[in-house]
Amino acid sequence: MEQIDKTRLPRHIAIIMDGNGRWAEEKGQDRLYGHFHGVASVRNIVEGCAELGIEYLTLYAFSTENWDRPQQEVDGLMTLLVDTIRKEVNDLNKNNIRLHVIGDMNMLPKLAFTELQEALEMTKLNTGLNLLMALSYSSRWELVNAVKNIGRDVKSGKIDPATINQDTLQQYLSTSNFPDPELMIRTGGEYRISNFLLYQLAYAELYFTNTRWPDFRKENLYEAIIDFQNRERRYGKTGRQIQEETQLA
Ligand code: IPE
Ligand code: IPE
Ligand code: MG
């Protein structure tokens, strides 16, 4: 933690929490055992981000495609979601953490939906870490939705198609109120994005680790941040331009 430069922290970290199922299977257990242990990692990483003063943390917890998993696993995950929110809301409030959800909440079972609504309401005045849970989320779902809504607003005359620019599109995404992630971490050893924040990750630094999500702890997060801080972010410019700009600043 001491090695982290606190003046150059990413404002927004996004994490694909992957590897729960394999973690459990490697221990001869049911996949749900892995999801259950993944909750401890969520708690630890949320705490770690809050301590560091990270402003936004997005956790990919359940994708649109995950609805196609065996019913027993989906049901188990939804039950775990409801239980976890119930247990954690007080701690979120104690730590000044505000919960947000991105994704198609209408797809969620009624109980999960109402439980989440309540948690959103109960934490809405908190001003510390913004915790964005990506639930029933996929980037293509989000982009299709955005296009639909832009079409609707063009048709009603609310926007002129000639004025549509990148800011317009950004305003129609579920992350309209949040800056783009600077650092995206994927645990579990896969090197892919799996339909996560495709638009928002345009210039994010990507960090992949073999560590399974249930084993991921603050120390692993610190390693990812240090790795991030050692990279040169060029945004299409040359290294020399970037070095000159940082010398001027
Ligand atoms: C990530 O772990 C959690 C969810 C997708 C809900 P997985 O369940 O995908 O675990 P692996 O990738 O099969 O090990
Ligand atoms: C991505 O993990 C979704 C979440 C972590 C919630 P998956 O395990 O569903 O992704 P794929 O299937 O390996 O691409
Ligand atoms: Mg997986």
Side-chain angles (χ1 to χ4, degrees), residues 168-228:
T168 321
L169 183 48
Q170 143 77 9
Q171 281 155 28
Y172 283 83
L173 298 176
S174 45
T175 51
S176 57
N177 295 321
F178 315 111
D180 288 343
E182 289 107 319
L183 171 60
M184 196 288 286
I185 300 170
R186 181 172 188 145
T187 64
E190 309 296 352
Y191 296 82
R192 52 177 174 258
I193 307 288
S194 301
N195 219 345
F196 185 46
L197 302 173
L198 300 179
Y199 187 82
Q200 295 90 334
L201 292 177
Y203 268 104
E205 297 299 327
L206 308 182
Y207 181 88
F208 297 95
T209 170
N210 287 326
T211 305
R212 312 279 195 231
W213 178 251
D215 286 330
F216 196 82
R217 288 292 180 276
K218 287 177 196 177
E219 293 69 32
N220 307 90
L221 173 74
Y222 302 155
E223 273 175 39
I225 295 175
I226 290 164
D227 191 89
F228 165 84

Short mmCIF file of all heavy atoms in Angstrom, two decimals, residues 168-228:
data_model
loop_
_atom_site.label_atom_id
_atom_site.label_comp_id
_atom_site.label_asym_id
_atom_site.label_seq_id
_atom_site.Cartn_x
_atom_site.Cartn_y
_atom_site.Cartn_z
N THR A 168 -23.36 13.13 -26.25
CA THR A 168 -24.77 12.72 -26.32
C THR A 168 -24.87 11.23 -26.00
O THR A 168 -25.66 10.81 -25.16
CB THR A 168 -25.36 12.95 -27.73
OG1 THR A 168 -24.87 14.18 -28.25
CG2 THR A 168 -26.87 12.91 -27.72
N LEU A 169 -24.07 10.45 -26.70
CA LEU A 169 -24.13 9.00 -26.51
C LEU A 169 -23.84 8.65 -25.05
O LEU A 169 -24.56 7.86 -24.42
CB LEU A 169 -23.12 8.31 -27.45
CG LEU A 169 -23.10 6.78 -27.43
CD1 LEU A 169 -24.51 6.19 -27.53
CD2 LEU A 169 -22.25 6.24 -28.56
N GLN A 170 -22.83 9.29 -24.50
CA GLN A 170 -22.46 9.05 -23.09
C GLN A 170 -23.65 9.29 -22.16
O GLN A 170 -23.87 8.55 -21.20
CB GLN A 170 -21.24 9.94 -22.77
CG GLN A 170 -21.17 10.57 -21.39
CD GLN A 170 -20.72 9.58 -20.30
OE1 GLN A 170 -20.31 8.48 -20.60
NE2 GLN A 170 -20.83 10.00 -19.07
N GLN A 171 -24.45 10.34 -22.49
CA GLN A 171 -25.59 10.65 -21.63
C GLN A 171 -26.70 9.60 -21.67
O GLN A 171 -27.56 9.56 -20.80
CB GLN A 171 -26.18 12.01 -22.01
CG GLN A 171 -25.37 13.18 -21.47
CD GLN A 171 -25.55 14.44 -22.30
OE1 GLN A 171 -26.61 14.61 -22.92
NE2 GLN A 171 -24.54 15.29 -22.32
N TYR A 172 -26.69 8.74 -22.68
CA TYR A 172 -27.72 7.71 -22.80
C TYR A 172 -27.25 6.35 -22.29
O TYR A 172 -27.99 5.38 -22.36
CB TYR A 172 -28.20 7.60 -24.26
CG TYR A 172 -29.14 8.72 -24.64
CD1 TYR A 172 -28.65 9.96 -25.04
CD2 TYR A 172 -30.52 8.55 -24.56
CE1 TYR A 172 -29.50 11.00 -25.38
CE2 TYR A 172 -31.40 9.58 -24.89
CZ TYR A 172 -30.87 10.81 -25.30
OH TYR A 172 -31.73 11.83 -25.63
N LEU A 173 -26.02 6.30 -21.78
CA LEU A 173 -25.53 5.04 -21.22
C LEU A 173 -25.94 4.93 -19.75
O LEU A 173 -26.24 5.94 -19.12
CB LEU A 173 -24.00 4.97 -21.34
CG LEU A 173 -23.43 5.01 -22.77
CD1 LEU A 173 -21.91 5.03 -22.74
CD2 LEU A 173 -23.93 3.82 -23.59
N SER A 174 -25.90 3.72 -19.22
CA SER A 174 -26.27 3.57 -17.81
C SER A 174 -25.20 4.16 -16.90
O SER A 174 -25.43 4.35 -15.71
CB SER A 174 -26.52 2.10 -17.46
OG SER A 174 -25.53 1.28 -18.01
N THR A 175 -24.04 4.49 -17.47
CA THR A 175 -22.97 5.11 -16.69
C THR A 175 -22.90 6.62 -16.92
O THR A 175 -21.85 7.23 -16.69
CB THR A 175 -21.61 4.49 -17.08
OG1 THR A 175 -21.50 4.55 -18.50
CG2 THR A 175 -21.49 3.05 -16.64
N SER A 176 -24.03 7.22 -17.35
CA SER A 176 -24.02 8.64 -17.71
C SER A 176 -23.49 9.55 -16.60
O SER A 176 -22.91 10.59 -16.88
CB SER A 176 -25.41 9.09 -18.13
OG SER A 176 -26.31 8.84 -17.08
N ASN A 177 -23.69 9.13 -15.35
CA ASN A 177 -23.26 10.00 -14.24
C ASN A 177 -21.85 9.72 -13.75
O ASN A 177 -21.42 10.29 -12.75
CB ASN A 177 -24.21 9.84 -13.05
CG ASN A 177 -25.60 10.32 -13.39
OD1 ASN A 177 -25.76 11.34 -14.08
ND2 ASN A 177 -26.62 9.59 -12.96
N PHE A 178 -21.14 8.84 -14.43
CA PHE A 178 -19.85 8.39 -13.91
C PHE A 178 -18.75 8.54 -14.95
O PHE A 178 -18.99 8.35 -16.13
CB PHE A 178 -19.95 6.92 -13.48
CG PHE A 178 -21.18 6.61 -12.68
CD1 PHE A 178 -22.20 5.83 -13.21
CD2 PHE A 178 -21.35 7.15 -11.42
CE1 PHE A 178 -23.36 5.57 -12.48
CE2 PHE A 178 -22.50 6.88 -10.68
CZ PHE A 178 -23.51 6.09 -11.21
N PRO A 179 -17.53 8.85 -14.48
CA PRO A 179 -16.41 8.92 -15.43
C PRO A 179 -16.06 7.51 -15.92
O PRO A 179 -16.39 6.52 -15.26
CB PRO A 179 -15.26 9.50 -14.60
CG PRO A 179 -15.58 9.13 -13.19
CD PRO A 179 -17.08 9.12 -13.09
N ASP A 180 -15.36 7.40 -17.05
CA ASP A 180 -14.95 6.10 -17.57
C ASP A 180 -13.91 5.47 -16.64
O ASP A 180 -13.09 6.19 -16.05
CB ASP A 180 -14.30 6.26 -18.96
CG ASP A 180 -15.33 6.59 -20.04
OD1 ASP A 180 -16.54 6.38 -19.80
OD2 ASP A 180 -14.91 7.06 -21.11
N PRO A 181 -13.92 4.15 -16.53
CA PRO A 181 -12.88 3.50 -15.71
C PRO A 181 -11.51 3.71 -16.33
O PRO A 181 -11.34 3.65 -17.54
CB PRO A 181 -13.24 2.01 -15.77
CG PRO A 181 -14.63 1.93 -16.28
CD PRO A 181 -14.85 3.17 -17.10
N GLU A 182 -10.51 3.97 -15.48
CA GLU A 182 -9.12 4.06 -15.96
C GLU A 182 -8.43 2.72 -15.88
O GLU A 182 -7.45 2.47 -16.57
CB GLU A 182 -8.32 5.06 -15.12
CG GLU A 182 -8.70 6.50 -15.34
CD GLU A 182 -9.46 7.03 -14.16
OE1 GLU A 182 -10.32 6.31 -13.61
OE2 GLU A 182 -9.20 8.18 -13.77
N LEU A 183 -8.92 1.87 -14.96
CA LEU A 183 -8.30 0.57 -14.74
C LEU A 183 -9.38 -0.50 -14.72
O LEU A 183 -10.37 -0.38 -14.00
CB LEU A 183 -7.54 0.60 -13.39
CG LEU A 183 -7.00 -0.73 -12.86
CD1 LEU A 183 -6.00 -1.36 -13.82
CD2 LEU A 183 -6.36 -0.53 -11.48
N MET A 184 -9.18 -1.53 -15.54
CA MET A 184 -10.11 -2.67 -15.56
C MET A 184 -9.34 -3.93 -15.18
O MET A 184 -8.33 -4.24 -15.80
CB MET A 184 -10.74 -2.82 -16.94
CG MET A 184 -11.98 -3.71 -16.99
SD MET A 184 -11.74 -5.48 -16.80
CE MET A 184 -11.05 -5.93 -18.38
N ILE A 185 -9.80 -4.58 -14.15
CA ILE A 185 -9.15 -5.79 -13.65
C ILE A 185 -10.04 -6.99 -13.97
O ILE A 185 -11.26 -6.92 -13.76
CB ILE A 185 -8.95 -5.72 -12.12
CG1 ILE A 185 -8.08 -4.51 -11.74
CG2 ILE A 185 -8.37 -7.02 -11.56
CD1 ILE A 185 -8.03 -4.22 -10.23
N ARG A 186 -9.47 -8.07 -14.49
CA ARG A 186 -10.22 -9.32 -14.59
C ARG A 186 -9.48 -10.41 -13.84
O ARG A 186 -8.32 -10.69 -14.14
CB ARG A 186 -10.45 -9.75 -16.04
CG ARG A 186 -11.26 -11.05 -16.11
CD ARG A 186 -11.69 -11.45 -17.50
NE ARG A 186 -12.62 -12.58 -17.42
CZ ARG A 186 -13.65 -12.79 -18.23
NH1 ARG A 186 -13.88 -11.95 -19.21
NH2 ARG A 186 -14.45 -13.84 -18.07
N THR A 187 -10.15 -11.03 -12.90
CA THR A 187 -9.57 -12.16 -12.19
C THR A 187 -9.95 -13.45 -12.92
O THR A 187 -10.76 -13.44 -13.84
CB THR A 187 -10.10 -12.22 -10.74
OG1 THR A 187 -11.51 -12.45 -10.76
CG2 THR A 187 -9.81 -10.93 -9.99
N GLY A 188 -9.35 -14.55 -12.52
CA GLY A 188 -9.79 -15.87 -13.01
C GLY A 188 -9.07 -16.39 -14.24
O GLY A 188 -9.38 -17.48 -14.71
N GLY A 189 -8.15 -15.58 -14.79
CA GLY A 189 -7.28 -16.13 -15.84
C GLY A 189 -7.74 -16.01 -17.28
O GLY A 189 -7.00 -16.40 -18.18
N GLU A 190 -8.93 -15.50 -17.54
CA GLU A 190 -9.37 -15.33 -18.94
C GLU A 190 -8.95 -13.94 -19.43
O GLU A 190 -8.98 -12.98 -18.68
CB GLU A 190 -10.89 -15.46 -19.08
CG GLU A 190 -11.50 -16.70 -18.46
CD GLU A 190 -11.04 -17.99 -19.11
OE1 GLU A 190 -10.36 -17.93 -20.16
OE2 GLU A 190 -11.34 -19.06 -18.55
N TYR A 191 -8.62 -13.89 -20.73
CA TYR A 191 -8.19 -12.62 -21.33
C TYR A 191 -9.28 -12.11 -22.26
O TYR A 191 -9.10 -12.10 -23.47
CB TYR A 191 -6.88 -12.81 -22.10
CG TYR A 191 -5.72 -13.21 -21.23
CD1 TYR A 191 -5.53 -14.54 -20.86
CD2 TYR A 191 -4.81 -12.26 -20.75
CE1 TYR A 191 -4.47 -14.92 -20.05
CE2 TYR A 191 -3.75 -12.63 -19.94
CZ TYR A 191 -3.59 -13.95 -19.59
OH TYR A 191 -2.54 -14.33 -18.79
N ARG A 192 -10.41 -11.77 -21.72
CA ARG A 192 -11.47 -11.21 -22.56
C ARG A 192 -12.32 -10.24 -21.75
O ARG A 192 -12.23 -10.18 -20.53
CB ARG A 192 -12.31 -12.31 -23.19
CG ARG A 192 -12.86 -13.34 -22.23
CD ARG A 192 -13.75 -14.38 -22.95
NE ARG A 192 -14.15 -15.44 -22.05
CZ ARG A 192 -13.60 -16.67 -22.01
NH1 ARG A 192 -12.64 -16.99 -22.86
NH2 ARG A 192 -14.03 -17.58 -21.15
N ILE A 193 -13.20 -9.53 -22.48
CA ILE A 193 -14.01 -8.47 -21.87
C ILE A 193 -15.42 -8.96 -21.53
O ILE A 193 -16.10 -8.38 -20.70
CB ILE A 193 -14.10 -7.25 -22.84
CG1 ILE A 193 -12.70 -6.79 -23.30
CG2 ILE A 193 -14.83 -6.09 -22.23
CD1 ILE A 193 -11.87 -6.08 -22.27
N SER A 194 -15.87 -10.03 -22.21
CA SER A 194 -17.18 -10.62 -21.92
C SER A 194 -18.32 -9.60 -21.83
O SER A 194 -19.10 -9.63 -20.88
CB SER A 194 -17.11 -11.48 -20.65
OG SER A 194 -16.16 -12.51 -20.78
N ASN A 195 -18.38 -8.73 -22.83
CA ASN A 195 -19.54 -7.82 -22.94
C ASN A 195 -19.64 -6.80 -21.79
O ASN A 195 -20.73 -6.43 -21.35
CB ASN A 195 -20.83 -8.64 -23.02
CG ASN A 195 -21.83 -8.05 -24.01
OD1 ASN A 195 -21.69 -6.90 -24.43
ND2 ASN A 195 -22.86 -8.81 -24.36
N PHE A 196 -18.50 -6.38 -21.28
CA PHE A 196 -18.46 -5.47 -20.13
C PHE A 196 -18.00 -4.08 -20.58
O PHE A 196 -16.88 -3.94 -21.12
CB PHE A 196 -17.50 -6.05 -19.09
CG PHE A 196 -17.42 -5.31 -17.78
CD1 PHE A 196 -18.57 -4.90 -17.11
CD2 PHE A 196 -16.19 -5.06 -17.18
CE1 PHE A 196 -18.49 -4.25 -15.88
CE2 PHE A 196 -16.09 -4.43 -15.95
CZ PHE A 196 -17.25 -4.02 -15.30
N LEU A 197 -18.79 -3.05 -20.42
CA LEU A 197 -18.40 -1.65 -20.61
C LEU A 197 -17.57 -1.40 -21.89
O LEU A 197 -16.57 -0.68 -21.85
CB LEU A 197 -17.59 -1.17 -19.38
CG LEU A 197 -18.28 -1.25 -18.02
CD1 LEU A 197 -17.31 -0.90 -16.90
CD2 LEU A 197 -19.49 -0.32 -17.94
N LEU A 198 -18.01 -1.98 -23.00
CA LEU A 198 -17.21 -1.92 -24.23
C LEU A 198 -16.89 -0.48 -24.64
O LEU A 198 -15.78 -0.18 -25.07
CB LEU A 198 -17.95 -2.62 -25.37
CG LEU A 198 -18.25 -4.10 -25.16
CD1 LEU A 198 -19.00 -4.68 -26.34
CD2 LEU A 198 -16.98 -4.88 -24.90
N TYR A 199 -17.86 0.40 -24.50
CA TYR A 199 -17.67 1.80 -24.90
C TYR A 199 -16.80 2.54 -23.88
O TYR A 199 -15.86 3.26 -24.24
CB TYR A 199 -19.04 2.47 -25.02
CG TYR A 199 -19.02 3.87 -25.58
CD1 TYR A 199 -18.96 4.09 -26.95
CD2 TYR A 199 -19.05 4.97 -24.73
CE1 TYR A 199 -18.94 5.37 -27.47
CE2 TYR A 199 -19.03 6.26 -25.24
CZ TYR A 199 -18.98 6.45 -26.60
OH TYR A 199 -18.95 7.73 -27.11
N GLN A 200 -17.10 2.28 -22.61
CA GLN A 200 -16.44 3.03 -21.53
C GLN A 200 -14.97 2.64 -21.34
O GLN A 200 -14.19 3.39 -20.76
CB GLN A 200 -17.19 2.80 -20.21
CG GLN A 200 -18.60 3.34 -20.19
CD GLN A 200 -19.63 2.33 -20.67
OE1 GLN A 200 -19.33 1.43 -21.45
NE2 GLN A 200 -20.87 2.49 -20.23
N LEU A 201 -14.61 1.45 -21.78
CA LEU A 201 -13.24 0.97 -21.55
C LEU A 201 -12.28 1.38 -22.68
O LEU A 201 -11.14 0.91 -22.72
CB LEU A 201 -13.21 -0.56 -21.43
CG LEU A 201 -13.87 -1.15 -20.18
CD1 LEU A 201 -13.83 -2.69 -20.22
CD2 LEU A 201 -13.20 -0.66 -18.90
N ALA A 202 -12.74 2.26 -23.56
CA ALA A 202 -11.96 2.63 -24.75
C ALA A 202 -10.48 2.88 -24.42
O ALA A 202 -9.60 2.41 -25.13
CB ALA A 202 -12.57 3.85 -25.43
N TYR A 203 -10.20 3.61 -23.34
CA TYR A 203 -8.81 3.92 -23.00
C TYR A 203 -8.40 3.42 -21.60
O TYR A 203 -7.42 3.89 -21.03
CB TYR A 203 -8.51 5.42 -23.17
CG TYR A 203 -7.98 5.68 -24.57
CD1 TYR A 203 -8.77 6.25 -25.56
CD2 TYR A 203 -6.69 5.27 -24.90
CE1 TYR A 203 -8.29 6.43 -26.85
CE2 TYR A 203 -6.21 5.43 -26.18
CZ TYR A 203 -7.00 6.02 -27.14
OH TYR A 203 -6.51 6.17 -28.40
N ALA A 204 -9.15 2.45 -21.11
CA ALA A 204 -8.79 1.89 -19.80
C ALA A 204 -7.53 1.05 -19.92
O ALA A 204 -7.27 0.45 -20.96
CB ALA A 204 -9.93 1.03 -19.27
N GLU A 205 -6.75 1.01 -18.85
CA GLU A 205 -5.64 0.05 -18.77
C GLU A 205 -6.24 -1.27 -18.30
O GLU A 205 -7.02 -1.32 -17.35
CB GLU A 205 -4.59 0.55 -17.76
CG GLU A 205 -3.92 1.85 -18.14
CD GLU A 205 -3.16 1.75 -19.47
OE1 GLU A 205 -2.64 0.68 -19.78
OE2 GLU A 205 -3.12 2.77 -20.20
N LEU A 206 -5.85 -2.35 -18.99
CA LEU A 206 -6.42 -3.66 -18.66
C LEU A 206 -5.41 -4.48 -17.86
O LEU A 206 -4.23 -4.51 -18.18
CB LEU A 206 -6.79 -4.41 -19.95
CG LEU A 206 -7.68 -3.65 -20.95
CD1 LEU A 206 -7.99 -4.53 -22.15
CD2 LEU A 206 -8.96 -3.18 -20.29
N TYR A 207 -5.89 -5.10 -16.82
CA TYR A 207 -5.02 -5.90 -15.94
C TYR A 207 -5.66 -7.26 -15.73
O TYR A 207 -6.78 -7.35 -15.24
CB TYR A 207 -4.87 -5.17 -14.61
CG TYR A 207 -3.97 -5.86 -13.60
CD1 TYR A 207 -2.60 -5.63 -13.57
CD2 TYR A 207 -4.51 -6.74 -12.67
CE1 TYR A 207 -1.78 -6.25 -12.64
CE2 TYR A 207 -3.69 -7.37 -11.73
CZ TYR A 207 -2.33 -7.12 -11.72
OH TYR A 207 -1.52 -7.73 -10.80
N PHE A 208 -4.95 -8.30 -16.14
CA PHE A 208 -5.48 -9.65 -16.00
C PHE A 208 -4.66 -10.43 -14.99
O PHE A 208 -3.43 -10.35 -14.99
CB PHE A 208 -5.44 -10.37 -17.36
CG PHE A 208 -6.30 -9.70 -18.41
CD1 PHE A 208 -5.77 -8.78 -19.30
CD2 PHE A 208 -7.66 -9.98 -18.49
CE1 PHE A 208 -6.56 -8.15 -20.25
CE2 PHE A 208 -8.46 -9.37 -19.44
CZ PHE A 208 -7.91 -8.45 -20.33
N THR A 209 -5.33 -11.17 -14.14
CA THR A 209 -4.62 -11.99 -13.17
C THR A 209 -5.24 -13.39 -13.11
O THR A 209 -6.45 -13.54 -13.28
CB THR A 209 -4.63 -11.34 -11.76
OG1 THR A 209 -4.12 -12.29 -10.81
CG2 THR A 209 -6.01 -10.91 -11.33
N ASN A 210 -4.38 -14.39 -12.87
CA ASN A 210 -4.88 -15.76 -12.75
C ASN A 210 -5.60 -16.01 -11.43
O ASN A 210 -6.31 -16.99 -11.29
CB ASN A 210 -3.71 -16.76 -12.87
CG ASN A 210 -3.21 -16.84 -14.30
OD1 ASN A 210 -3.99 -16.71 -15.25
ND2 ASN A 210 -1.92 -17.03 -14.46
N THR A 211 -5.37 -15.14 -10.46
CA THR A 211 -6.01 -15.30 -9.16
C THR A 211 -7.52 -15.42 -9.34
O THR A 211 -8.12 -14.60 -10.02
CB THR A 211 -5.68 -14.10 -8.24
OG1 THR A 211 -4.27 -13.96 -8.17
CG2 THR A 211 -6.24 -14.28 -6.85
N ARG A 212 -8.10 -16.45 -8.75
CA ARG A 212 -9.56 -16.61 -8.82
C ARG A 212 -10.20 -15.55 -7.90
O ARG A 212 -9.63 -15.23 -6.84
CB ARG A 212 -9.97 -18.00 -8.34
CG ARG A 212 -9.19 -19.16 -8.95
CD ARG A 212 -9.70 -19.50 -10.31
NE ARG A 212 -9.21 -20.80 -10.76
CZ ARG A 212 -8.63 -21.00 -11.95
NH1 ARG A 212 -8.43 -20.01 -12.78
NH2 ARG A 212 -8.27 -22.20 -12.31
N TRP A 213 -11.40 -15.13 -8.26
CA TRP A 213 -12.03 -14.06 -7.48
C TRP A 213 -12.11 -14.37 -5.97
O TRP A 213 -11.78 -13.50 -5.15
CB TRP A 213 -13.41 -13.69 -8.04
CG TRP A 213 -14.06 -12.65 -7.21
CD1 TRP A 213 -15.13 -12.78 -6.40
CD2 TRP A 213 -13.62 -11.27 -7.06
NE1 TRP A 213 -15.41 -11.60 -5.75
CE2 TRP A 213 -14.49 -10.66 -6.14
CE3 TRP A 213 -12.57 -10.52 -7.62
CZ2 TRP A 213 -14.36 -9.32 -5.77
CZ3 TRP A 213 -12.43 -9.18 -7.24
CH2 TRP A 213 -13.32 -8.61 -6.31
N PRO A 214 -12.47 -15.59 -5.55
CA PRO A 214 -12.56 -15.81 -4.09
C PRO A 214 -11.22 -15.66 -3.36
O PRO A 214 -11.21 -15.52 -2.13
CB PRO A 214 -13.08 -17.25 -3.96
CG PRO A 214 -13.76 -17.52 -5.26
CD PRO A 214 -12.97 -16.77 -6.30
N ASP A 215 -10.11 -15.70 -4.09
CA ASP A 215 -8.80 -15.50 -3.46
C ASP A 215 -8.30 -14.06 -3.58
O ASP A 215 -7.23 -13.73 -3.06
CB ASP A 215 -7.75 -16.41 -4.14
CG ASP A 215 -7.92 -17.87 -3.75
OD1 ASP A 215 -8.39 -18.13 -2.62
OD2 ASP A 215 -7.59 -18.74 -4.58
N PHE A 216 -9.01 -13.21 -4.27
CA PHE A 216 -8.55 -11.85 -4.55
C PHE A 216 -8.76 -10.96 -3.31
O PHE A 216 -9.87 -10.87 -2.78
CB PHE A 216 -9.30 -11.29 -5.76
CG PHE A 216 -8.67 -10.08 -6.39
CD1 PHE A 216 -7.62 -10.19 -7.28
CD2 PHE A 216 -9.14 -8.80 -6.10
CE1 PHE A 216 -7.04 -9.08 -7.87
CE2 PHE A 216 -8.57 -7.67 -6.68
CZ PHE A 216 -7.52 -7.81 -7.58
N ARG A 217 -7.68 -10.32 -2.86
CA ARG A 217 -7.74 -9.48 -1.66
C ARG A 217 -7.07 -8.13 -1.93
O ARG A 217 -6.46 -7.92 -2.96
CB ARG A 217 -7.04 -10.18 -0.49
CG ARG A 217 -7.80 -11.37 0.08
CD ARG A 217 -9.09 -10.93 0.78
NE ARG A 217 -9.85 -12.05 1.33
CZ ARG A 217 -10.72 -12.79 0.64
NH1 ARG A 217 -10.93 -12.57 -0.64
NH2 ARG A 217 -11.40 -13.76 1.24
N LYS A 218 -7.16 -7.23 -0.94
CA LYS A 218 -6.59 -5.87 -1.06
C LYS A 218 -5.18 -5.87 -1.63
O LYS A 218 -4.86 -5.03 -2.47
CB LYS A 218 -6.53 -5.21 0.31
CG LYS A 218 -7.86 -4.76 0.86
CD LYS A 218 -7.69 -4.18 2.26
CE LYS A 218 -9.03 -4.11 2.96
NZ LYS A 218 -8.90 -3.63 4.35
N GLU A 219 -4.33 -6.82 -1.15
CA GLU A 219 -2.94 -6.86 -1.63
C GLU A 219 -2.89 -7.03 -3.14
O GLU A 219 -2.06 -6.43 -3.83
CB GLU A 219 -2.16 -8.01 -0.97
CG GLU A 219 -1.94 -7.85 0.53
CD GLU A 219 -3.23 -7.97 1.35
OE1 GLU A 219 -4.13 -8.74 0.93
OE2 GLU A 219 -3.36 -7.27 2.38
N ASN A 220 -3.80 -7.85 -3.66
CA ASN A 220 -3.86 -8.07 -5.11
C ASN A 220 -4.33 -6.79 -5.83
O ASN A 220 -3.86 -6.46 -6.91
CB ASN A 220 -4.82 -9.22 -5.45
CG ASN A 220 -4.48 -10.49 -4.68
OD1 ASN A 220 -5.00 -10.71 -3.59
ND2 ASN A 220 -3.59 -11.30 -5.21
N LEU A 221 -5.24 -6.10 -5.19
CA LEU A 221 -5.72 -4.82 -5.74
C LEU A 221 -4.57 -3.81 -5.78
O LEU A 221 -4.38 -3.11 -6.78
CB LEU A 221 -6.86 -4.29 -4.87
CG LEU A 221 -7.36 -2.89 -5.21
CD1 LEU A 221 -8.20 -2.92 -6.49
CD2 LEU A 221 -8.20 -2.30 -4.07
N TYR A 222 -3.79 -3.75 -4.69
CA TYR A 222 -2.66 -2.81 -4.66
C TYR A 222 -1.68 -3.12 -5.80
O TYR A 222 -1.18 -2.20 -6.45
CB TYR A 222 -1.91 -2.89 -3.31
CG TYR A 222 -2.75 -2.60 -2.09
CD1 TYR A 222 -2.39 -3.10 -0.84
CD2 TYR A 222 -3.90 -1.81 -2.17
CE1 TYR A 222 -3.15 -2.84 0.29
CE2 TYR A 222 -4.67 -1.55 -1.05
CZ TYR A 222 -4.29 -2.07 0.18
OH TYR A 222 -5.04 -1.82 1.30
N GLU A 223 -1.43 -4.41 -6.03
CA GLU A 223 -0.53 -4.80 -7.13
C GLU A 223 -1.05 -4.28 -8.46
O GLU A 223 -0.27 -3.78 -9.29
CB GLU A 223 -0.41 -6.33 -7.21
CG GLU A 223 0.66 -6.92 -6.33
CD GLU A 223 0.64 -8.45 -6.38
OE1 GLU A 223 0.42 -9.02 -7.46
OE2 GLU A 223 0.82 -9.06 -5.30
N ALA A 224 -2.33 -4.40 -8.67
CA ALA A 224 -2.93 -3.93 -9.93
C ALA A 224 -2.78 -2.42 -10.06
O ALA A 224 -2.47 -1.90 -11.14
CB ALA A 224 -4.40 -4.34 -9.99
N ILE A 225 -2.98 -1.70 -8.96
CA ILE A 225 -2.88 -0.23 -9.01
C ILE A 225 -1.44 0.20 -9.27
O ILE A 225 -1.18 1.12 -10.04
CB ILE A 225 -3.44 0.40 -7.71
CG1 ILE A 225 -4.95 0.13 -7.59
CG2 ILE A 225 -3.17 1.91 -7.66
CD1 ILE A 225 -5.58 0.59 -6.30
N ILE A 226 -0.49 -0.49 -8.63
CA ILE A 226 0.92 -0.16 -8.85
C ILE A 226 1.30 -0.42 -10.31
O ILE A 226 1.96 0.40 -10.96
CB ILE A 226 1.83 -0.95 -7.87
CG1 ILE A 226 1.61 -0.40 -6.45
CG2 ILE A 226 3.30 -0.84 -8.27
CD1 ILE A 226 2.12 -1.31 -5.36
N ASP A 227 0.81 -1.52 -10.85
CA ASP A 227 1.05 -1.84 -12.27
C ASP A 227 0.48 -0.72 -13.16
O ASP A 227 1.14 -0.23 -14.07
CB ASP A 227 0.39 -3.19 -12.59
CG ASP A 227 0.81 -3.71 -13.95
OD1 ASP A 227 1.81 -4.42 -14.00
OD2 ASP A 227 0.13 -3.38 -14.95
N PHE A 228 -0.73 -0.30 -12.83
CA PHE A 228 -1.40 0.79 -13.55
C PHE A 228 -0.55 2.07 -13.51
O PHE A 228 -0.37 2.75 -14.52
CB PHE A 228 -2.77 1.03 -12.91
CG PHE A 228 -3.44 2.32 -13.28
CD1 PHE A 228 -4.18 2.43 -14.45
CD2 PHE A 228 -3.32 3.45 -12.46
CE1 PHE A 228 -4.80 3.62 -14.79
CE2 PHE A 228 -3.94 4.64 -12.80
CZ PHE A 228 -4.67 4.73 -13.98
#
